[in-house]
Amino acid sequence: MITEFCSEIDPEVTAALVANFPTISTTTIQTLGNQSVGLTQGQISSVSPSIINSTLPTLSIVPGWNQGQANALIQSITSAGYKIDTGSSLVTLGTLIGGVPSTTISSIPPTQLLTVSQNPTFITNILSAPVILQETYVQQIVSVDQTKVVENVPDALASFIPPVLLSSPTSVNVTLINKKSWKQEQALVLFGPVASASDNTEELSESVLQGFTGSSVQTLSQQKIRQLVKACRPRAGRNKVVLKESQLTCMYNYVKEDITLNFTDLPSDLLLYYSYDKVQSVNCRSYFSALGSADFSVLSSVLNKPSVLFSNAQNCLGISGGRLSRDQVGVLGNMICTLNPSYIQNSDPLILEKLKNCGYISDTQVTAIQTLLFSGNTSYGNRSTWTLDTLNQLGSLPLYFKRDFWEIFSSTTKRTYLKSFIQVLKKQKISIVKLRKFFTEFSYNLKITGRAAAVCTIGNITEATIADPSFPFGYDSTQFAACLDITVLRDNLASITDKVVDTSFQTIILNKLNQLYPSGLSDSVVQVLGSTSRAATVSDISKWNVSTIDTLSSLMNTVNGGWTSEQSKAVIMRYLSVVNNTLGTAELNAIGSNLCSLDAGVLKTISADSLRKANSMTVSSCTADQKSALYSIANSSFSSQRSVPTTFYLLISPYLGGAPVEDIRALSALNISMDIATFKSLSPAVLPALSVGTVRDLLGVNLPDLKLFENSTEVQFWVDQQYKVDLETLNIGLIGGKDLAVSTTTTTTNTTTVTTVTNQTVAATAQGSAVVHRGSGPWFITLCVALLTITLQILP
């Protein structure tokens, strides 16, 4: 009865209800049912483990446990004698599985874990558990039979299969692969075999299609490649195929001469790279209409594409006078996100609806949006009439608004709005940086009495306060510090850190934790710090216990924001300081790009097997020495894949920034069609040593991208080291390079004049794989003329 009644109660009411129970008994928990989620960590720890153990059937079906609660409950039942050593015992835990240490899952026989993978309720529960648990579970299943990883791993957990285990399939079951959710790095190695085996490219999932690369499709017919490109187009009822810039430019290189394809037959993002010269004036409106669905943020800034595209759109759509009509706004679509603020504030109000689709809005654009709204000439009316409904109708735009917008609304309206809006933001996985900025602007104009006082004047922070979705709205940093008791913080730490994103508040939390635990924070505390961990100093981190992979994984979760290099290094080295802790596969996956914060000497301790089974690393921020160390390990890790050059390249490409020139030259002979992003990532010491012929063979179908990116620092650097006559042989219109200058030194002896050709001219022909061997060309004519001149001058 009470469970049914309480199912509709707000979280803060639930918290207040549970807090009023003086003691927690078996009957209490059974009566509370799902409302048991209101129990604090402190209450759970104070309850007899035997009571927690006896109420496991109730607790295991309660949804919504936070990490702190789950950890406390698992600790309690295991101390009461509950053994988590079989697959069935893991299933019995239900929604509490998130509190199980990953080492416990590692100790359960893999065959039993494979059996429980058929239980849909178990899979649903583990999907809500920390990433390290999901990853550990999959690694156990994979160990049963590495030739059947696709068959054995549940569809929803397939993204945790190491890419290397997908690189050499004994057979390709397109239907099975198509059902699973893949990360792009996995799709890259799967795509070639799947595309070759597929009879119907239209049926390939967006998860598989995101693996398209020039390397993977080289052996396919032109017709099939175009079908694959077309399969990536926007379609109703399907998620968008998310592709990187180098994939899109590669696609374009394959289809740019196909006059049978309509703009709507192509991925909208591909149209960003479409040559406007190919668009007939009669079709330009159709082009911009299709382009309007593109994600303009995929474009590299060096290309300066948005301004060029808008200039073309102005000519096509008759845009003039710094204002867009309703029709023009409708056609431009997402191009609106790139526009100058003056267009935003002066255009038809429909522009506001288009701006809701933007992934990023600059400060100057926000000012323009607010100017348009404040004018009263929009469907939202005069600001004096704005209500809670107005805020809800504005969609995602309030995330970016500034304090002069928020001061229009009462504190009550804002609090009510925040309760629902914050849930929307969490579902959209808005970054901590955006959330922090939003809360700063949203809460700026708080009028709190006793602001400077060191005593709490607006109400102590209680379990009910924390459970309010709008928490900590209503507090400034002074009152937050004064009203947050350290005991309440201890008993509700996970709930608090999940909601507090303001840096000043987070610093207060850390200071209070240091008071609570003067000798240092335990693993269980550190695991639930969330984004608050980023407010820590290196000195703070030096006192943390980071002894388990669960703690390291929690700290390195990118959802909680980025680390500085110094912080990251401090965290990882705390982990490595524990006996038997190493940089294994799980650690590499947890650390990700933070790997670059470690010294090269530490990186050299990574084993080839650990790197081979890990996710591909992003090492762009690493130093030359770090990249070199990682490449050396990766080269050994993937050596067994060398027999299939394309697969070998796809696996090792993230590490090629540390490769020596001889290894890059060797790759050029393997017909891999290196993408332009990887080419630009090559070492500055390697690029100038690559001849024009080597680069032509290296890039293959992606060679035209050199022209597209010729203004990038890396391509310019390479071009400047080449001779113009060599660059001309590429026939892609590259501008720059060195002249093959012929200088003469004239010496007169009696009646004989001798003219010599400088060594520079001859030496130039020896660069890379000697230009002389490529037959006739402009350089050859120049040399012949010079030699003929010498001959004529020395003849009597």
Side-chain angles (χ1 to χ4, degrees):
M1 293 271 291
I2 191 171
T3 303
E4 294 177 6
F5 171 74
C6 291
S7 63
E8 301 299 325
I9 295 179
D10 287 340
E12 56 265 42
V13 176
T14 296
L17 173 67
V18 174
N20 284 327
F21 284 96
T23 58
I24 304 296
S25 65
T26 300
T27 303
T28 304
I29 293 176
Q30 290 173 340
T31 301
L32 285 172
N34 285 353
Q35 303 312 309
S36 298
V37 77
L39 291 168
T40 68
Q41 291 169 237
Q43 286 176 307
I44 294 169
S45 299
S46 66
V47 176
S48 169
S50 61
I51 292 177
I52 298 295
N53 200 13
S54 67
T55 55
L56 181 57
T58 298
L59 297 172
S60 64
I61 60 174
V62 174
W65 298 114
N66 65 42
Q67 192 62 50
Q69 292 170 313
N71 288 350
L73 287 165
I74 291 297
Q75 185 177 353
S76 183
I77 66 170
T78 53
S79 68
Y82 185 87
K83 301 291 185 183
I84 309 174
D85 53 7
T86 63
S88 59
S89 64
L90 200 62
V91 172
T92 301
L93 295 176
T95 57
L96 297 179
I97 192 172
V100 177
S102 60
T103 53
T104 299
I105 292 181
S106 297
S107 67
I108 298 174
T111 52
Q112 293 192 26
L113 295 178
L114 177 59
T115 299
V116 302
S117 69
Q118 305 302 313
N119 185 319
T121 302
F122 171 75
I123 297 302
T124 298
N125 288 331
I126 200 170
L127 285 172
S128 299
V131 169
I132 186 62
L133 294 189
Q134 299 176 43
E135 183 179 307
T136 304
Y137 175 71
V138 169
Q139 298 316 308
Q140 288 289 88
I141 292 179
V142 164
S143 69
V144 175
D145 187 346
Q146 292 196 2
T147 66
K148 294 184 177 180
V149 293
V150 175
E151 292 89 341
N152 289 343
V153 176
D155 295 348
L157 292 169
S159 62
F160 293 101
I161 300 174
V164 70
L165 297 183
L166 301 168
S167 60
S168 303
T170 53
S171 62
V172 179
N173 186 329
V174 177
T175 301
L176 183 61
I177 292 173
N178 222 25
K179 289 166 53 182
K180 297 182 182 287
S181 300
W182 305 105
K183 289 185 294 191
Q184 190 165 56
E185 63 189 90
Q186 296 170 306
L188 291 176
V189 296
L190 281 171
F191 185 79
V194 172
S196 297
S198 173
D199 294 326
N200 184 359
T201 56
E202 288 288 289
E203 294 302 316
L204 292 180
S205 71
E206 58 272 14
S207 181
V208 170
L209 289 169
Q210 67 175 328
F212 184 104
T213 65
S215 304
S216 300
V217 300
Q218 289 183 116
T219 59
L220 303 179
S221 68
Q222 288 291 317
Q223 180 183 7
K224 189 157 193 177
I225 294 173
R226 288 167 182 168
Q227 289 173 344
L228 288 165
V229 172
K230 185 177 179 181
C232 295
R233 72 192 183 281
R235 283 186 270 175
R238 287 174 60 114
N239 293 327
K240 178 179 180 178
V241 179
V242 179
L243 299 163
K244 296 180 179 178
E245 185 169 58
S246 57
Q247 294 173 293
L248 294 164
T249 57
C250 175
M251 282 184 170
Y252 178 62
N253 291 332
Y254 274 113
V255 302
K256 60 186 177 183
E257 302 303 332
D258 188 346
I259 60 175
T260 66
L261 290 171
N262 297 318
F263 300 129
T264 52
D265 290 334
L266 302 171
S268 50
D269 291 357
L270 180 150
L271 296 175
L272 293 166
Y273 306 92
Y274 199 90
S275 174
Y276 193 66
D277 292 340
K278 296 179 178 293
V279 180
Q280 298 179 359
S281 57
V282 69
N283 296 326
C284 71
R285 182 184 173 90
S286 298
Y287 166 73
F288 285 110
S289 181
L291 180 65
S293 299
D295 176 7
F296 283 71
S297 68
V298 77
L299 287 164
S300 291
S301 58
V302 70
L303 298 181
N304 193 33
K305 278 279 188 177
S307 61
V308 173
L309 287 167
F310 184 61
S311 177
N312 291 331
Q314 287 176 300
N315 293 329
C316 171
L317 303 176
I319 298 171
S320 62
R323 183 185 184 281
L324 301 176
S325 68
R326 188 175 186 83
D327 175 70
Q328 291 164 344
V329 169
V331 173
L332 291 179
N334 290 343
M335 193 187 295
I336 296 297
C337 303
T338 71
L339 293 187
N340 184 294
S342 62
Y343 273 101
I344 293 174
Q345 68 186 49
N346 294 316
S347 295
D348 186 274
L350 177 64
I351 201 168
L352 293 175
E353 308 313 307
K354 299 298 181 182
L355 286 163
K356 292 177 182 179
N357 298 323
C358 300
Y360 171 77
I361 301 177
S362 70
D363 283 343
T364 53
Q365 288 177 318
V366 172
T367 300
I369 292 171
Q370 292 187 181
T371 300
L372 178 57
L373 280 170
F374 291 165
S375 72
N377 297 321
T378 72
S379 60
Y380 301 99
N382 189 282
R383 73 177 83 179
S384 63
T385 66
W386 291 351
T387 64
L388 178 62
D389 285 341
T390 307
L391 290 173
N392 291 328
Q393 291 165 9
L394 283 167
S396 62
L397 293 179
L399 173 64
Y400 302 95
F401 288 159
K402 301 179 181 180
R403 57 195 61 165
D404 55 336
F405 172 85
W406 292 114
E407 68 184 5
I408 295 171
F409 299 91
S410 69
S411 179
T412 301
T413 298
K414 289 166 66 175
R415 184 186 297 277
T416 304
Y417 172 67
L418 189 58
K419 289 185 179 186
S420 59
F421 189 54
I422 196 65
Q423 301 305 317
V424 172
L425 297 179
K426 285 188 175 182
K427 286 181 181 178
Q428 294 177 350
K429 297 182 179 179
I430 299 299
S431 72
I432 287 294
V433 174
K434 285 185 178 180
L435 283 177
R436 188 169 289 140
K437 188 172 183 179
F438 164 70
F439 276 107
T440 298
E441 299 296 324
F442 185 84
S443 306
Y444 180 77
N445 288 313
L446 286 173
K447 293 180 175 62
I448 302 174
T449 57
R451 179 180 293 273
V455 295
C456 179
T457 61
I458 64 169
N460 289 324
I461 294 173
T462 65
E463 285 77 8
T465 312
I466 298 163
D468 185 337
S470 66
F471 177 77
F473 177 72
Y475 292 87
D476 65 358
S477 58
T478 302
Q479 284 295 294
F480 183 78
C483 299
L484 179 61
D485 182 80
I486 58 174
T487 303
V488 173
L489 174 63
R490 180 196 64 196
D491 293 347
N492 299 272
L493 182 58
S495 298
I496 292 173
T497 56
D498 181 54
K499 295 180 178 180
V500 175
V501 297
D502 183 275
T503 303
S504 63
F505 287 22
Q506 292 175 333
T507 300
I508 291 167
I509 291 172
L510 290 174
N511 289 339
K512 287 181 179 289
L513 288 174
N514 289 335
Q515 294 174 38
L516 269 169
Y517 310 105
S519 60
L521 307 188
S522 66
D523 278 86
S524 61
V525 172
V526 174
Q527 274 185 38
V528 296
L529 287 179
S531 63
T532 298
S533 60
R534 274 51 171 180
T537 65
V538 171
S539 177
D540 289 329
I541 295 170
S542 69
K543 299 175 184 177
W544 292 354
N545 284 287
V546 188
S547 62
T548 70
I549 183 60
D550 304 74
T551 306
L552 180 66
S553 179
S554 173
L555 284 170
M556 291 292 154
N557 193 332
T558 56
V559 169
N560 295 317
W563 292 100
T564 66
S565 181
E566 293 76 15
Q567 289 174 313
S568 172
K569 180 178 180 180
V571 168
I572 299 169
M573 295 311 294
R574 285 293 292 167
Y575 176 81
L576 293 177
S577 68
V578 177
V579 177
N580 296 325
N581 282 353
T582 63
L583 290 175
T585 297
E587 286 81 2
L588 294 176
N589 288 344
I591 292 167
S593 61
N594 288 300
L595 203 63
C596 294
S597 66
L598 300 176
D599 296 337
V602 176
L603 297 181
K604 289 177 182 178
T605 66
I606 300 170
S607 72
D609 187 58
S610 293
L611 187 64
R612 189 178 79 90
K613 295 176 182 176
N615 300 329
S616 61
M617 300 285 121
T618 299
V619 301
S620 56
S621 63
C622 286
T623 64
D625 286 344
Q626 291 170 320
K627 289 179 180 178
S628 178
L630 290 170
Y631 171 75
S632 178
I633 300 167
N635 198 27
S636 175
S637 298
F638 304 120
S639 58
S640 61
Q641 272 72 38
R642 287 181 181 275
S643 58
V644 185
T646 297
T647 299
F648 174 70
Y649 163 68
L650 290 171
L651 290 170
I652 203 168
S653 59
Y655 309 98
L656 289 177
V661 65
E662 55 268 23
D663 286 12
I664 300 301
R665 285 177 178 151
L667 280 177
S668 71
L670 299 180
N671 191 31
I672 58 167
S673 285
M674 177 180 284
D675 60 274
I676 190 66
T678 302
F679 176 77
K680 293 197 299 173
S681 76
L682 298 179
S683 168
V686 168
L687 281 173
L690 300 177
S691 71
V692 168
T694 297
V695 170
R696 179 187 58 232
D697 295 339
L698 195 63
L699 296 185
V701 70
N702 296 316
L703 184 63
D705 289 354
L706 274 181
K707 176 63 178 177
L708 180 63
F709 285 89
E710 68 177 337
N711 290 328
S712 69
T713 302
E714 300 85 358
V715 175
Q716 278 187 345
F717 178 56
W718 177 77
V719 167
D720 289 344
Q721 311 307 311
Q722 313 307 313
Y723 286 93
K724 288 182 179 178
V725 292
D726 292 345
L727 293 172
E728 289 172 0
T729 65
L730 297 177
N731 295 317
I732 57 175
L734 282 175
I735 298 173
K738 299 182 293 187
D739 290 320
L740 277 175
V742 178
S743 61
T744 60
T745 301
T746 304
T747 303
T748 304
T749 303
N750 296 329
T751 58
T752 305
T753 300
V754 179
T755 303
T756 60
V757 182
T758 63
N759 288 336
Q760 178 187 9
T761 304
V762 178
T765 66
Q767 184 192 21
S769 55
V771 180
V772 174
H773 294 166
R774 291 203 295 272
S776 61
W779 72 270
F780 190 70
I781 296 172
T782 302
L783 184 58
C784 287
V785 171
L787 292 174
L788 181 60
T789 302
I790 295 171
T791 303
L792 291 174
Q793 288 178 336
I794 63 177
L795 286 174

